[in-house]
Short mmCIF file of all heavy atoms in Angstrom, two decimals:
data_model
loop_
_atom_site.label_atom_id
_atom_site.label_comp_id
_atom_site.label_asym_id
_atom_site.label_seq_id
_atom_site.Cartn_x
_atom_site.Cartn_y
_atom_site.Cartn_z
N GLY Y 85 1.06 -2.93 13.90
CA GLY Y 85 2.18 -3.01 14.83
C GLY Y 85 3.41 -3.69 14.27
O GLY Y 85 4.47 -3.68 14.91
N ASN Y 86 3.34 -4.27 13.08
CA ASN Y 86 4.48 -4.93 12.43
C ASN Y 86 5.15 -3.97 11.46
O ASN Y 86 4.52 -3.51 10.50
CB ASN Y 86 4.04 -6.19 11.67
CG ASN Y 86 3.52 -7.26 12.60
OD1 ASN Y 86 4.21 -7.66 13.53
ND2 ASN Y 86 2.30 -7.71 12.37
N LYS Y 87 6.43 -3.66 11.70
CA LYS Y 87 7.18 -2.73 10.86
C LYS Y 87 8.08 -3.50 9.90
O LYS Y 87 8.73 -4.46 10.28
CB LYS Y 87 8.05 -1.80 11.71
CG LYS Y 87 7.27 -0.86 12.58
CD LYS Y 87 8.21 0.02 13.37
CE LYS Y 87 7.43 0.95 14.29
NZ LYS Y 87 8.34 1.84 15.03
N THR Y 88 8.12 -3.02 8.66
CA THR Y 88 8.95 -3.62 7.62
C THR Y 88 9.47 -2.52 6.71
O THR Y 88 8.76 -1.57 6.41
CB THR Y 88 8.12 -4.60 6.76
OG1 THR Y 88 7.46 -5.54 7.60
CG2 THR Y 88 8.99 -5.33 5.77
N THR Y 89 10.70 -2.67 6.24
CA THR Y 89 11.25 -1.75 5.25
C THR Y 89 10.95 -2.32 3.87
O THR Y 89 11.20 -3.50 3.61
CB THR Y 89 12.77 -1.57 5.45
OG1 THR Y 89 13.00 -1.04 6.76
CG2 THR Y 89 13.35 -0.62 4.41
N ILE Y 90 10.39 -1.48 3.01
CA ILE Y 90 10.03 -1.90 1.66
C ILE Y 90 10.50 -0.85 0.65
O ILE Y 90 10.80 0.28 1.01
CB ILE Y 90 8.50 -2.11 1.49
CG1 ILE Y 90 7.74 -0.79 1.66
CG2 ILE Y 90 7.99 -3.18 2.45
CD1 ILE Y 90 6.29 -0.84 1.25
N SER Y 91 10.54 -1.26 -0.61
CA SER Y 91 10.74 -0.33 -1.71
C SER Y 91 9.34 0.03 -2.21
O SER Y 91 8.60 -0.84 -2.65
CB SER Y 91 11.56 -0.97 -2.83
OG SER Y 91 11.67 -0.07 -3.91
N ALA Y 92 8.98 1.31 -2.09
CA ALA Y 92 7.64 1.75 -2.50
C ALA Y 92 7.77 2.78 -3.61
O ALA Y 92 8.70 3.60 -3.62
CB ALA Y 92 6.89 2.35 -1.32
N GLY Y 93 6.82 2.75 -4.52
CA GLY Y 93 6.79 3.70 -5.61
C GLY Y 93 5.89 4.88 -5.29
O GLY Y 93 4.92 4.74 -4.53
N PHE Y 94 6.23 6.02 -5.87
CA PHE Y 94 5.44 7.23 -5.71
C PHE Y 94 5.25 7.84 -7.09
O PHE Y 94 6.20 7.94 -7.86
CB PHE Y 94 6.13 8.22 -4.77
CG PHE Y 94 6.26 7.68 -3.37
CD1 PHE Y 94 7.37 6.93 -3.02
CD2 PHE Y 94 5.26 7.89 -2.44
CE1 PHE Y 94 7.48 6.40 -1.73
CE2 PHE Y 94 5.36 7.37 -1.16
CZ PHE Y 94 6.48 6.62 -0.80
N SER Y 95 4.01 8.22 -7.41
CA SER Y 95 3.72 8.72 -8.75
C SER Y 95 2.87 9.99 -8.71
O SER Y 95 1.97 10.13 -7.88
CB SER Y 95 2.98 7.65 -9.56
OG SER Y 95 2.68 8.15 -10.84
N TYR Y 96 3.17 10.89 -9.66
CA TYR Y 96 2.40 12.12 -9.83
C TYR Y 96 1.24 11.91 -10.81
O TYR Y 96 0.50 12.85 -11.10
CB TYR Y 96 3.29 13.25 -10.35
CG TYR Y 96 4.25 13.78 -9.31
CD1 TYR Y 96 5.58 13.39 -9.30
CD2 TYR Y 96 3.82 14.67 -8.33
CE1 TYR Y 96 6.47 13.88 -8.34
CE2 TYR Y 96 4.68 15.16 -7.36
CZ TYR Y 96 6.00 14.75 -7.37
OH TYR Y 96 6.86 15.23 -6.41
N SER Y 97 1.06 10.71 -11.32
CA SER Y 97 0.00 10.44 -12.28
C SER Y 97 -1.36 10.81 -11.72
O SER Y 97 -1.69 10.49 -10.58
CB SER Y 97 0.00 8.95 -12.67
OG SER Y 97 -1.14 8.66 -13.46
N LYS Y 98 -2.16 11.49 -12.52
CA LYS Y 98 -3.53 11.87 -12.11
C LYS Y 98 -4.39 10.62 -11.92
O LYS Y 98 -5.40 10.66 -11.22
CB LYS Y 98 -4.17 12.78 -13.16
CG LYS Y 98 -3.42 14.07 -13.38
CD LYS Y 98 -3.62 15.04 -12.24
CE LYS Y 98 -2.97 16.36 -12.53
NZ LYS Y 98 -2.16 16.86 -11.47
N LYS Y 99 -4.00 9.51 -12.53
CA LYS Y 99 -4.75 8.26 -12.39
C LYS Y 99 -4.46 7.57 -11.05
O LYS Y 99 -5.12 6.63 -10.69
CB LYS Y 99 -4.43 7.32 -13.55
CG LYS Y 99 -4.91 7.86 -14.89
CD LYS Y 99 -4.57 6.93 -16.01
CE LYS Y 99 -5.03 7.52 -17.34
NZ LYS Y 99 -4.69 6.67 -18.47
N MET Y 100 -3.47 8.07 -10.35
CA MET Y 100 -3.08 7.50 -9.05
C MET Y 100 -3.94 8.13 -7.97
O MET Y 100 -3.55 9.11 -7.34
CB MET Y 100 -1.59 7.77 -8.83
CG MET Y 100 -0.97 7.06 -7.69
SD MET Y 100 -0.73 5.36 -8.10
CE MET Y 100 -0.86 4.67 -6.50
N GLN Y 101 -5.12 7.58 -7.76
CA GLN Y 101 -6.08 8.15 -6.81
C GLN Y 101 -5.87 7.66 -5.37
O GLN Y 101 -6.25 8.33 -4.43
CB GLN Y 101 -7.50 7.80 -7.25
CG GLN Y 101 -7.87 8.36 -8.60
CD GLN Y 101 -8.05 9.86 -8.58
OE1 GLN Y 101 -8.61 10.40 -7.65
NE2 GLN Y 101 -7.58 10.54 -9.60
#
Side-chain angles (χ1 to χ4, degrees):
N86 294 305
K87 294 181 182 182
T88 307
T89 300
I90 65 168
S91 177
F94 296 89
S95 178
Y96 288 101
S97 172
K98 299 286 185 229
K99 295 179 182 178
M100 190 75 209
Q101 298 289 320

